[in-house]
Amino acid sequence: EVKLVESGGGLVQPGGSLRLSCATSGFTFSDFYMEWVRQPPGKRLEWIAASRNKANDYTTEYSASVKGRFIVSRDTSQSILYLQMNALRAEDTAIYYCARNWDGFDVWGAGTTVTVSS
Amino acid sequence: NIVMTQSPKSMSMSVGERVTLSCKASENVGTYVSWYQQKPEQSPKLLIYGASNRYTGVPDRFTGSGSATDFTLTISSVQAEDLADYHCGQSYSYRTFGGGTKLEIK
């Protein structure tokens, strides 16, 4: 069974850092683009970061809203996707989902909630 | 950034009715459009990819169509379990999503 399980969310103060993890299983991790999508309360889904597959050298892309603050990476030995989030702002408050990209986001995790507040 | 605009924002339909949801792109995205269903308190699920391809296991009452800037998701005969938010997304130029349509069942 293909599974994605996010963890690492929580309450953090503005300016703080958090690292999210996405543990994957049931598929060949290196074959797929893996991406992060967030959903602020009451707002639309927002794509924020992508890690391309091994064939594309695991290169990364970011949305303008997080570029320079967030870093996406992989532990290929454990099939885990990470999102390092720095300089967090109130507007980063959201549910964060990791998703597998196959021609559309075909598998999603349940999400982990990040709240940025003092 | 390509802007995806969905309409209507919400709709209330009776079981058995035909439902048509619209998604318009601010520029030509070919057929790089997907549709997602998000039930309350759940993560999104892929329904349609490549504008018109039904994902594995998706009931055939869900049909996607369109190309370039205009896309439609049709539910031929809506069921009670279709209560959800529906999102379109484009992957032509990175990824953006529409604002969603909330489908309520009368």
Side-chain angles (χ1 to χ4, degrees):
Chain A
E1 181 195 3
V2 175
K3 277 185 82 172
L4 307 178
V5 179
E6 302 94 337
S7 59
L11 175 64
V12 61
Q13 292 191 335
S17 297
L18 215 51
R19 188 177 80 157
L20 306 184
S21 300
C22 173
T24 77
S25 58
F27 64 99
T28 304
F29 185 60
S30 59
D31 284 351
F32 290 87
Y33 285 36
M34 295 297 301
E35 310 200 15
W36 290 95
V37 176
R38 68 185 180 184
Q39 189 169 32
K43 294 191 175 180
R44 68 178 65 194
L45 296 167
E46 180 190 8
W47 170 81
I48 56 171
S51 168
R52 295 185 180 90
N53 57 11
K54 183 178 180 180
N56 287 282
D57 296 326
Y58 298 126
T59 52
T60 57
E61 290 280 351
Y62 300 92
S63 69
S65 62
V66 306
K67 195 168 188 177
R69 300 188 298 126
F70 290 11
I71 299 171
V72 61
S73 62
R74 299 186 187 224
D75 179 336
T76 53
S77 66
Q78 296 196 68
S79 300
I80 300 174
L81 181 73
Y82 294 106
L83 185 68
Q84 177 67 43
M85 305 189 296
N86 301 320
L88 283 160
R89 307 165 179 164
E91 55 265 34
D92 296 317
T93 294
I95 298 173
Y96 285 72
Y97 297 102
C98 70
R100 187 177 81 168
N101 189 342
W102 166 83
D103 198 351
F105 294 115
D106 69 329
V107 184
W108 297 67
T112 188
T113 299
V114 173
T115 303
V116 184
S117 174
S118 54
Chain B
N1 268 8
I2 295 175
V3 177
M4 305 296 283
T5 302
Q6 289 186 245
S7 60
K9 285 189 167 40
S10 66
M11 59 195 319
S12 182
M13 308 296 288
S14 298
V15 170
E17 287 193 292
R18 183 181 182 88
V19 171
T20 302
L21 310 181
S22 172
C23 176
K24 293 187 186 297
S26 60
E27 55 188 271
N28 188 337
V29 296
T31 57
Y32 288 89
V33 166
S34 301
W35 289 91
Y36 302 87
Q37 178 191 63
Q38 187 176 25
K39 294 185 177 181
E41 308 306 316
Q42 294 186 18
S43 53
K45 289 183 169 54
L46 179 64
L47 293 175
I48 302 289
Y49 64 94
S52 61
N53 301 289
R54 203 175 291 116
Y55 186 61
T56 306
V58 172
D60 62 7
R61 64 179 180 272
F62 291 93
T63 301
S65 62
S67 64
T69 60
D70 290 299
F71 300 88
T72 300
L73 175 70
T74 301
I75 310 174
S76 59
S77 175
V78 74
Q79 303 299 302
E81 63 263 31
D82 299 335
L83 162 75
D85 292 334
Y86 291 84
H87 309 274
C88 64
Q90 65 81 22
S91 57
Y92 178 78
S93 174
Y94 246 74
R95 290 96 168 81
T96 48
F97 294 91
T101 292
K102 180 180 287 294
L103 175 61
E104 296 172 334
I105 308 297
K106 288 179 188 170

